[in-house]
Amino acid sequence: MSSNLKLKGNWNIMKGKLKEKYGELTDDDLSYVEGKEDQLLGRIQKKTGQTEDKLRKELFED
């Protein structure tokens, strides 16, 4: 499954897990728009201070 399809298909579950892990994230921070994954990563990275590589692994890898 491509990373974009995985993200889209599981987004509600992943969003809940991210909010648990990073309490400072809001629904606005986690608003997912297909094709705008880089913007989503940037918002999460800015709020959490995590590296882009770590977030990509968390969101896109099994």
Side-chain angles (χ1 to χ4, degrees):
M1 180 181 291
S2 80
S3 60
N4 289 345
L5 287 176
K6 179 184 176 202
L7 181 62
K8 184 177 179 183
N10 297 319
W11 184 238
N12 286 332
I13 295 167
M14 294 172 69
K15 185 165 66 168
K17 288 180 180 180
L18 285 168
K19 285 174 80 175
E20 281 180 23
K21 188 171 184 177
Y22 306 108
E24 62 272 14
L25 292 173
T26 66
D27 285 333
D28 287 340
D29 294 326
L30 297 172
S31 62
Y32 171 69
V33 177
E34 191 170 354
K36 306 252 181 176
E37 291 83 10
D38 289 337
Q39 288 178 4
L40 172 66
L41 282 172
R43 285 193 309 265
I44 296 171
Q45 186 178 13
K46 184 177 179 181
K47 279 277 186 130
T48 64
Q50 296 298 322
T51 65
E52 183 177 342
D53 287 339
K54 181 176 180 183
L55 291 171
R56 281 192 181 279
K57 286 178 183 175
E58 227 175 299
L59 293 174
F60 299 115
E61 294 181 6
D62 291 328

